[in-house]
Amino acid sequence: MKKLILTTALAALIAAPALGQGEAPKHGGNMIVTYKDDVATLDPAIGYDWQNWSMIKSVFDGLMDYEPGTTTLRPGLAESYTLSDDGLTYTFKLRPGVKFHNGREMTAEDVVWSINRVVNPATQSPGQGFFGMIEGFDDAAAGKAPGLSGISAPDAGTVVFKLSRPDATFLHVMALNFSFVVPKEVVEAEGADFGKKPVGTGAFKLAEWTLGQRLVFEKNPDYWISGVPYLDSFTVEVGQEPVVALLRVQKGEVDVPGDGIPPAKFIEVMSDPAQAALVVEGGQLQTGYVTMNVTKPPFDKVEVRRAVNMAINKDRIVQVINGRALPANQPLPPSMPGYTKDYKGYPHDPEAARKLLADAGYPDGFETELFAMNTDPNPRIAQAIQQDLKAIGINAAIKSLAQANVIEAGGAGTAPMIWSGGMAWIADFPDPANFYGPILGCGGAVEGGWNWAKYCNEALDAKAAEADAIVDPAKAAERLEIWSDIYMQVMEDAPWAPIFNEQRFTMKSARMGGDDALYVDPIAIPVNYDYAFIKE
Amino acid sequence: MLAYVLRRLIQSALILLGVSFITFVLLYVLPADPVRQIAGRSATPETVESIRRQLGLDQPFVVQYANYLWNLVHGDLGRSYLQKTEVAALLLSRLPATLLLMVAAIFCELLIGLTLGMIAALYRGRPLDNALMLGSFVTVSAPQFVVALLLLYVFSVRLGWFPIGGYGTAAHLVLPALTLGILGSGWYSRIMRSSMLDVMRADFIRTARAKGLGRARVVLWHALPNAILPVIAMVGIDIGMFMSGIVVVESVFGWPGIGQLAWQAIQRVDIPIIMGVTLVSATAIVIGNLIADLVAPLIDPRIRLR
C-alpha cells in the first residue's frame, strides 16, 4: 500500500512567503545584477558557487523545488510523488508537457540520465556524494556500473527511485541543483562546454555570454509555471568589485549588488538614509564557529574545549562586525528545523574558563595557533578571539592565510584551531542532517574532510542514521527531537565554539518589487531571479 | 643582426621554459589542493581520489610537468579545472581588453610623463621643478587601488563624466588608462627630466641658441627629439611592468582582462589558468625586452647588437 504525499511539512519557514503581500507583480523589464567573480559554469552537475547557484536554478528545474523566499518544499518537475511503506521506494509522476529550451519535451528518461550523469565519476561532480542513499550508488560512483541500479523510468511520465536505506533528506536532495534535469543530446553534443551553453527547462534561458563581462538571461515564454518569470530578462555583469557595485547602485545603474554590502562600507551605507532605505536584511542557514582539533593535545581534553567556549565574548565579536550577525550557542542556525530554542549555551565566564584549564592540567595556559582566512573581517575577528583566549592564559598565534590554504590545513588536521569565517558552513538544504555528516560526523573526520575538529563520536553517528531513517512525515517532530539531542551532545563534547549566525545584508534598487525575502532567498542564494519584478 | 635576433629568440624560449618550470614547481608545492576546490565541501574521499586520478594529479611531479609541456608544444593549454572551458579560449577572450588598456595606458604615461619631465627640466632648480619631482615620487608610490577609486569617485560618481567601470566604449577606457598613466608617469618624468638636462647642455643646443633661434624652437625642434629617445626604449620594459601591475586596476574598473582572470584563478587554485596567464605574460615581457633591445641601436648608433 502506498500513500500519497503532496508536500512535506518537514521544512520550517525562514521568512514570510514571498507572494501574497505587497503589490501585485508586474511583467517586463531587465534587471541588472553584478558579481565580483566570474561565473565559472552553469552546468548543474558542476556549479557550486555563490554566483552560479541561483542562476542554475533559473535555467534548470528538479523534481522538487521550494516556495520562493522560503525553505518550504514543493513539487517541481514532479506533479506528485508517493513513498512506499518501508520508506525505500519513491515514485514520481512527472508534469506533462514540460519542454527544454530547445523545444524537446522532457521525459522520465532525461531524469534518469541526468542523475546517473552526476553520479558517474567521469563527470567530476562535487554533488556526487549526495546520492549515496540510492541503490547501486557504490558501483556507479566507482565507475563499475554504467548507472544506478536503483533508478528507473517505467514510462515516459514516471520515475522510480529505490533506496538502500530510508532517508528523510531524500526530497531535499531531489531539489538540489545537482539533481536538475538536463537534455542528454545537448550535453553529449557540447561535452565539457555544456556549462557555457546550458539548455534546461527553467524560467530563463541563457541568451548571451560574453566571457569575463556579462551574461544575459531571457524569459522562457513556454515556462511550465504560467505567468513566471516576471522579468523579460536579467543581465549579470561580472568582474565588479563590491565597492564599485555599491557606487553603481547609488547611481541607479545596478539593481542588485550580488555580493552584498562590503563590510568596510556597512556603517556608511546604514547611516545614510537614502541608501539605508534600499538595504535588505535576511537570515541565512549559516553558522560561524571555531574548530578545535580533538585528536591532539591540548584540545584532546574536553575541559580545555569547554574553557575556550566560555572564554570567547561573542557579543563583542558581533560588535566587531558592526552587528551584522547574532551570537550563536549551538551548531544549528536558529531558522533551521531542529534548533534547540531553550538551550542557553556556554556562558561568557573567563573566571570559570581559567578554572577549567587548571583542572585539565594547564593552570598557566598554553601556546597554540588559530587559523583564519585572510579577507576582511576575518583577521579582525581572529584578533578578538585571540584577545579573549589570552585573558584565560591561552596564547594563540594567528595564521592568516588564503582560503584554499586554510581548507587544506583543516583537512590535513594540522590546524589546532580554525575560525571558519569566509568558509563557514552554509546549508545545502534546510535540514539538520546537512549540518552534521561532513562537518561533525566521522565521515568528514578523514584526511582532507571538512570536519576540521576531527571529532568522531560513533554513538552520535548511529543516532544520526537512526534519525534519518524516520521518513514518515507524521513523525517529523520526533526526528527533529533526535537531531536536537545530537547537537546538544555535540555541545557537551565541545569540538566547536559556535560564534555567530551571520545575517545577509544586500540592496535592491528602488524600482525593484517583490518581497524582500526574494533578494535574500535562503535557497535561491543570493537572489531568486524567477520571482523578482520591476515595479514601474 | 639576424644571428643576434635568432640567438635572442632561442634565449627567450629557454627563459619561457624556465618560467613554466618554476611556476609549475610553485603550484605543486603550494599547500592548497586543487582537487578539493573542484570536489567541493560535500565530496566523499572516493570522489576526491577519483577526480585526482582523472586529472593526473596523483602522478609524480616529473610526469605531470612532462605531460603539461607535451600538451603545450602541441598548442594545448588544457582546460580550466573549475570552468571546464579551454584555457586558450579564456585567454583569447580576455587578451584584447588587456592589450587595449596597455596601449592606452602607455600613451597616457608618455603624454603625462614627457610633458612634466620637459617642464621640470626647463625650470630646473626652481619651485616648479621641485614640485613636479615631488609629485612624481607621490605617483610612483601611490597605491593603484586608492588612485583608481579616487578617480572613479570624482569623475564618475560626482561629475558623471565617465561610466563607473565596465568595458566597451572609449569612455570606459579613459579612467583605467589614466590611473595607470598617472602612476607610471613618475618614472618617465624623471628620466625625461635628466635626459632633457643632458641634451640642453650639449654643444648643438648652444649652437642653435647662438645662431639666434627662439627658446621654444630650440626646445621643441632640437632638444625634444633627442631627449625623447632614451625614454622610448623604456617602453619595452614597461610592458613587463604592466603585465604584473594591471591586476588591481582591472578589478577596480571591472576591466575584463587577463589580470582579472589570473586573480580569480589564483584564489581557486585553478592551475591550468594560472599557468596559461603566467606564460602569456612572460611571453609579453620577453618580447617587450627583445623589442627594446632591437630598437636601442636605431635610436643610438653607438649601441651595437652583438
Side-chain angles (χ1 to χ4, degrees):
Chain A
M1 208 190 90
K2 295 177 172 182
K3 42 195 164 174
L4 186 71
I5 308 156
L6 281 175
T7 52
T8 48
L10 276 183
L13 261 63
I14 272 199
L19 308 170
Q21 57 165 284
E23 66 277 82
K26 284 213 170 77
H27 286 86
N30 176 53
M31 170 170 78
I32 298 175
V33 184
T34 63
Y35 290 97
K36 177 172 178 291
D37 285 343
D38 212 345
V39 176
T41 174
L42 290 175
D43 185 340
I46 307 289
Y48 203 13
D49 296 331
W50 179 261
Q51 303 85 253
N52 60 20
W53 191 247
S54 164
M55 290 176 210
I56 290 171
K57 286 185 186 296
S58 285
V59 176
F60 298 90
D61 295 299
L63 293 175
M64 299 297 294
D65 192 9
Y66 296 91
E67 295 289 342
T70 76
T71 54
T72 312
L73 269 172
R74 72 175 187 192
L77 291 178
E79 209 169 35
S80 63
Y81 62 87
T82 57
L83 172 58
S84 64
D85 277 345
D86 59 4
L88 289 174
T89 308
Y90 280 89
T91 307
F92 291 88
K93 280 272 168 247
L94 296 189
R95 218 171 274 281
V98 175
K99 286 200 171 91
F100 285 113
H101 298 152
N102 65 2
R104 181 172 72 74
E105 191 163 326
M106 189 265 315
T107 68
E109 283 300 333
D110 291 307
V111 180
V112 172
W113 191 82
S114 301
I115 287 172
N116 278 331
R117 171 172 178 255
V118 173
V119 175
N120 185 336
T123 309
Q124 302 179 9
S125 170
Q128 189 193 42
F130 285 112
F131 299 89
M133 75 288 272
I134 302 176
E135 214 176 77
F137 174 81
D138 290 344
D139 283 349
K144 287 183 206 148
L148 296 157
S149 59
I151 172 168
S152 59
D155 62 65
T158 311
V159 184
V160 179
F161 290 84
K162 286 206 178 351
L163 309 189
S164 51
R165 55 172 193 261
D167 192 327
T169 66
F170 180 73
L171 290 175
H172 285 297
V173 171
M174 288 298 107
L176 266 182
N177 289 12
F178 301 113
S179 313
F180 286 1
V181 183
V182 296
K184 176 183 176 189
E185 73 278 10
V186 180
V187 176
E188 283 178 343
E190 299 295 349
D193 293 326
F194 179 70
K196 292 277 191 303
K197 298 169 183 168
V199 171
T201 56
F204 286 96
K205 44 187 169 188
L206 181 67
E208 181 203 324
W209 188 335
T210 311
L211 285 181
Q213 297 179 41
R214 91 183 67 78
L215 296 87
V216 180
F217 295 86
E218 258 169 25
K219 175 181 187 157
N220 171 9
D222 302 323
Y223 191 49
W224 52 271
I225 301 180
S226 67
V228 176
Y230 302 133
L231 295 165
D232 280 344
S233 59
F234 67 95
T235 303
V236 174
E237 296 183 8
V238 297
Q240 308 259 329
E241 279 288 324
V243 180
V244 176
L246 202 64
L247 292 174
R248 297 188 62 200
V249 172
Q250 288 166 24
K251 272 197 85 183
E253 291 178 11
V254 165
D255 293 308
V256 175
D259 298 312
I261 302 170
K265 288 279 172 186
F266 184 68
I267 298 268
E268 190 185 314
V269 168
M270 296 309 270
S271 55
D272 171 6
Q275 289 188 63
L278 306 178
V279 171
V280 178
E281 179 186 356
Q284 57 181 345
L285 298 170
Q286 186 264 15
T287 303
Y289 44 84
V290 173
T291 63
M292 291 164 268
N293 188 336
V294 302
T295 61
K296 289 182 183 158
F299 296 113
D300 56 342
K301 289 213 162 71
V302 68
E303 292 87 356
V304 174
R305 305 196 297 263
R306 287 180 189 155
V308 168
N309 265 286
M310 295 168 89
I312 299 174
N313 185 347
K314 295 164 190 171
D315 293 324
R316 198 167 62 96
I317 293 174
V318 169
Q319 279 171 20
V320 166
I321 58 164
N322 301 319
R324 291 157 61 103
L326 303 167
N329 62 22
Q330 55 189 296
L332 289 185
S335 44
M336 181 72 100
Y339 177 81
T340 314
K341 281 195 183 62
D342 45 7
Y343 177 63
K344 291 278 177 285
Y346 290 96
H348 172 56
D349 188 346
E351 260 325 300
R354 245 191 306 266
K355 202 171 160 299
L356 274 177
L357 274 191
D359 291 348
Y362 297 99
D364 304 320
F366 51 86
E367 309 266 325
T368 186
E369 283 173 340
L370 171 63
F371 284 61
M373 196 177 141
N374 58 5
T375 54
D376 189 62
N378 298 306
R380 288 190 286 136
I381 294 171
Q383 280 166 11
I385 295 170
Q386 182 187 40
Q387 281 177 24
D388 288 340
L389 294 179
K390 198 168 173 65
I392 64 164
I394 301 176
N395 281 314
I398 294 177
K399 295 270 232 175
S400 176
L401 303 170
Q403 187 188 52
N405 304 79
V406 181
I407 291 172
E408 183 71 14
T414 52
M417 301 178 92
I418 301 177
W419 157 242
S420 75
M423 309 155 289
W425 198 257
I426 300 178
D428 297 297
F429 49 82
D431 188 275
N434 189 241
F435 254 78
Y436 182 77
I439 44 178
L440 285 164
C442 296
V446 293
E447 165 81 32
W450 276 71
N451 182 343
W452 297 334
K454 303 294 166 201
Y455 170 69
C456 174
N457 182 335
E458 272 157 20
L460 277 193
D461 265 24
K463 211 166 168 181
E466 179 198 327
D468 282 350
I470 302 177
V471 290
D472 184 351
K475 291 185 183 159
E478 187 184 317
R479 172 171 177 265
L480 292 182
E481 198 66 33
I482 301 179
W483 271 115
S484 165
D485 288 349
I486 291 172
Y487 288 108
M488 287 304 100
Q489 183 60 48
V490 168
M491 286 315 294
E492 196 68 19
D493 292 343
W496 289 7
I499 306 294
F500 58 55
N501 304 111
E502 208 170 337
Q503 292 284 97
R504 275 175 58 200
F505 287 88
T506 186
M507 294 171 95
K508 62 169 186 177
S509 66
R511 70 184 190 127
M512 294 310 301
D515 196 276
D516 277 0
L518 294 172
Y519 300 86
V520 285
D521 196 304
I523 301 291
I525 294 170
V527 183
N528 191 323
Y529 303 111
D530 297 4
Y531 290 87
F533 63 89
I534 293 167
K535 283 189 282 193
E536 59 218 29
Chain B
M1 176 77 178
L2 199 67
Y4 173 80
V5 173
L6 203 66
R7 202 170 65 238
R8 282 295 303 268
L9 282 177
I10 293 170
Q11 276 176 7
S12 305
L14 287 176
I15 290 172
L16 290 179
L17 187 69
V19 168
S20 77
F21 180 75
I22 292 169
T23 316
F24 212 86
V25 170
L26 288 176
L27 290 171
Y28 186 79
V29 300
L30 197 73
D33 184 354
V35 179
R36 302 249 161 254
Q37 295 286 323
I38 304 166
R41 52 195 194 135
S42 303
T44 58
E46 291 79 24
T47 308
V48 171
E49 281 324 303
S50 144
I51 293 175
R52 194 185 306 285
R53 221 173 21 252
Q54 291 180 57
L55 294 175
L57 291 171
D58 55 340
Q59 303 277 333
F61 173 78
V62 182
V63 178
Q64 286 187 37
Y65 183 60
N67 282 339
Y68 186 81
L69 279 188
W70 179 255
N71 290 333
L72 189 65
V73 294
H74 289 82
D76 183 5
L77 285 166
R79 276 180 185 268
S80 153
Y81 285 166
L82 294 156
Q83 305 199 29
K84 314 282 176 198
T85 312
E86 291 203 21
V87 172
L90 292 171
L91 285 172
L92 276 181
S93 72
R94 285 169 174 270
L95 213 49
T98 293
L99 292 178
L100 177 66
L101 179 55
M102 193 160 78
V103 170
I106 289 176
F107 176 77
C108 287
E109 271 184 351
L110 290 176
L111 194 71
I112 302 171
L114 298 189
T115 312
L116 296 184
M118 195 170 75
I119 295 173
L122 295 179
Y123 289 86
R124 183 188 178 195
R126 295 202 232 152
L128 182 62
D129 177 27
N130 292 337
L132 286 175
M133 285 306 104
L134 184 71
S136 79
F137 253 134
V138 173
T139 57
V140 163
S141 22
Q144 285 187 0
F145 195 75
V146 175
V147 175
L149 278 179
L150 197 71
L151 290 181
L152 202 59
Y153 184 73
V154 173
F155 292 104
S156 298
V157 179
R158 286 274 127 166
L159 299 172
W161 292 355
F162 301 105
I164 309 177
Y167 175 74
T169 68
H172 287 101
L173 181 59
V174 175
L175 289 183
L178 205 59
T179 306
L180 288 167
I182 290 174
L183 294 175
S185 66
W187 299 113
Y188 284 100
S189 66
R190 298 205 139 233
I191 290 170
M192 183 63 189
R193 176 177 177 274
S194 55
S195 165
M196 192 77 179
L197 287 176
D198 283 347
V199 174
M200 291 297 279
R201 262 186 244 113
D203 292 342
F204 71 94
I205 296 291
R206 200 176 313 127
T207 311
R209 294 298 298 267
K211 71 183 183 190
L213 292 181
R215 185 178 157 93
R217 192 175 164 85
V218 171
V219 170
L220 293 177
W221 280 83
H222 295 266
L224 186 63
N226 286 292
I228 224 168
L229 292 178
V231 179
I232 300 295
M234 250 191 79
V235 172
I237 297 159
D238 217 24
I239 293 174
M241 303 270 288
F242 269 108
M243 280 294 173
S244 56
I246 214 162
V247 178
V248 176
V249 169
E250 283 189 354
S251 12
V252 173
F253 289 101
W255 194 261
I258 59 168
Q260 215 186 43
L261 184 68
W263 177 239
Q264 289 172 13
I266 288 167
Q267 288 171 321
R268 302 291 306 270
V269 209
D270 202 331
I271 291 175
I273 296 184
I274 303 175
M275 286 299 296
V277 173
T278 311
L279 286 177
V280 167
S281 314
T283 308
I285 294 172
V286 165
I287 292 176
N289 280 325
L290 188 59
I291 291 174
D293 288 352
L294 291 179
V295 167
L298 302 180
I299 292 168
D300 186 345
R302 284 170 297 183
I303 300 175
R304 288 263 165 74
L305 298 180
R306 245 170 282 145

